[in-house]
Amino acid sequence: MALLNPNVTHLLPLLLITLFLFTCNGEDDSLGYLCNEDTSTNAKISANIDAVLPKLVSKASSLGHFVATSGGGRDKVYGLAQCRGDISKADCSGCLHKAAELIRQACRDQPDSRIWRDHCFLRYNIENFIGKIDTSFGYLYVNVKNVTYQPNNFNKAVSSLMNKVKSEAVVPKNKGISKGLTKFSSSVTVYGLVQCTGDIGSASCGKCVNKALSNISKYCTNRKGCNLMYSNCFVRYEVYPFYFPEATNSTAPVGATFLIMLED
């Protein structure tokens, strides 16, 4: 685990994985990358990556989630694309198109790569990861501001809201996503969202979210907002409406945050 300033570009080794952290403004508003330097590509794998990405972007843009493969044998590439379930098809498409472009730039020689953006997630690998829960690594963005009014009650309100949202997300008919809000005081409303990737079932979704909530409880006590992203689930709460249709625009303010990288 490392504590970093998210307003600075970083390039550092973590075991055999290179993590590319970029500022959340300008051309690249991605929240994080994971490029596994212990994997290397060849011409066939590279071609298969270039073939699977358009499939993922095209299908997931309309469906919200899609898995695809390209090639065969040792050069076969598995891919997954996931958009946040509250956004429009147009926003999903735009997010994924940019994600596909950026991940090929950042992880050009690594066939095990992932990119997290605010509205979408994209991943590909030569190992079959589809349907397998993965909480080995995560990004946790934490609001630098603490709650000053009744912090213990605020923490309880967050916990209650997020457990409620989780219990709804794991109901099969909800397809791994749920959102909700709770009125903490006359001037403060807490908004929460939970989503799992579409390739895992309810039990795995629950396990992923439980681990995320455990880390939020550990690292986000008294904080006004937290956003934890694993490869199979995303968990977030804020004191402003960041999800749609409650959000007033597509670039809800994130405020100042610091980043914790979580690794098993």
Side-chain angles (χ1 to χ4, degrees):
M1 182 187 75
L3 183 63
L4 303 174
N5 180 350
N7 297 315
V8 180
T9 300
H10 298 271
L11 178 61
L12 67 156
L14 180 59
L15 297 180
L16 295 175
I17 294 173
T18 298
L19 305 172
F20 297 83
L21 309 179
F22 294 84
T23 56
C24 294
N25 50 50
E27 286 291 322
D28 186 355
D29 59 353
S30 302
L31 299 177
Y33 293 78
L34 190 153
C35 310
N36 189 348
E37 285 194 331
D38 198 32
T39 59
S40 59
T41 190
N42 58 42
K44 288 184 178 180
I45 292 174
S46 184
N48 288 333
I49 293 173
D50 288 334
V52 81
L53 284 174
K55 296 180 187 177
L56 295 171
V57 173
S58 174
K59 293 294 186 179
S61 292
S62 59
L63 299 174
H65 164 80
F66 197 68
V67 296
T69 63
S70 180
R74 294 182 177 179
D75 301 321
K76 186 174 184 178
V77 173
Y78 301 81
L80 177 149
Q82 179 77 53
C83 282
R84 226 174 63 188
D86 61 306
I87 67 171
S88 69
K89 291 182 179 180
D91 285 342
C92 176
S93 176
C95 185
L96 287 174
H97 272 94
K98 192 63 177 180
E101 174 190 339
L102 293 172
I103 197 171
R104 285 300 272 150
Q105 294 173 0
C107 307
R108 184 169 300 276
D109 298 320
Q110 289 80 38
D112 175 12
S113 302
R114 311 170 202 186
I115 178 173
W116 289 263
R117 304 189 75 219
D118 190 25
H119 291 161
C120 65
F121 171 71
L122 188 63
R123 179 183 184 184
Y124 54 80
N125 198 347
I126 52 175
E127 298 292 334
N128 186 2
F129 62 87
I130 307 300
K132 302 174 183 176
I133 186 173
D134 184 353
T135 55
S136 60
F137 179 84
Y139 282 101
L140 175 59
Y141 280 88
V142 184
N143 195 309
V144 298
K145 293 184 178 180
N146 280 332
V147 173
T148 55
Y149 174 72
Q150 296 184 352
N152 290 337
N153 289 339
F154 178 83
N155 295 328
K156 291 177 181 178
V158 169
S159 179
S160 178
L161 171 64
M162 298 312 293
N163 280 315
K164 178 178 181 293
V165 173
K166 181 206 74 173
S167 67
E168 294 171 352
V170 299
V171 175
K173 70 176 183 179
N174 292 330
K175 298 181 179 179
I177 181 171
S178 182
K179 57 187 179 179
L181 57 86
T182 186
K183 195 77 173 176
F184 172 63
S185 69
S186 60
S187 61
V188 176
T189 299
V190 184
Y191 301 82
L193 180 143
V194 163
Q195 182 166 5
C196 294
T197 54
D199 62 315
I200 62 172
S202 295
S204 293
C205 177
K207 290 179 181 178
C208 186
V209 175
N210 281 339
K211 184 166 183 178
L213 292 179
S214 175
N215 278 314
I216 281 182
S217 177
K218 181 177 181 181
Y219 294 107
C220 302
T221 300
N222 301 342
R223 300 293 181 174
K224 288 188 174 182
C226 266
N227 183 13
L228 198 160
M229 301 165 289
Y230 282 127
S231 293
N232 289 109
C233 65
F234 326 119
V235 175
R236 183 178 181 182
Y237 77 87
E238 305 285 355
V239 292
Y240 60 84
F242 65 93
Y243 57 70
F244 298 96
E246 283 79 2
T248 56
N249 57 63
S250 61
T251 55
V254 295
T257 60
F258 63 85
L259 173 64
I260 299 174
M261 295 186 297
L262 302 173
E263 186 195 17
D264 281 347

